[in-house]
Amino acid sequence: MVLKKLAITTCVLLFTLFVKSQPNVALTPPMGWNSWNLFEEEVSDKLIRGIADAMVASGMARAGYQYIVLDDY
């Protein structure tokens, strides 16, 4: 058990050092909203623009959300 904890701690430390050495690594993961989860294929320009406005008005944009994925098959 001690060896397992030591291995995990070592991996986390090495990963942290690697990330800090990379200037182009994102500080947060890509954050966005996927339209398919709610509307499936019933999307429109007006609907998506309304969602974008709501993301800004609700503070999601300030929290780091910057993408709206238009997903349809």
Side-chain angles (χ1 to χ4, degrees), residues 2 5 12 20 26 35 39-40 42-43 47 51 57 59 67-68:
V2 172
K5 286 183 180 180
V12 169
K20 288 185 180 231
S35 64
F39 302 113
E40 297 181 353
E42 303 295 324
V43 296
L47 182 67
I51 292 166
Y67 303 106
I68 296 175

Side-chain angles (χ1 to χ4, degrees), residues 15-30:
F15 179 75
T16 303
L17 292 172
F18 171 75
V19 169
K20 288 185 180 231
S21 71
Q22 304 299 312
N24 296 326
V25 174
L27 298 177
T28 60

Side-chain angles (χ1 to χ4, degrees), residues 35-36 39-45 47-48 70-72:
S35 64
W36 178 258
F39 302 113
E40 297 181 353
E41 70 256 8
E42 303 295 324
V43 296
S44 69
D45 178 70
L47 182 67
I48 298 302
L70 303 178
D71 187 10
D72 194 6

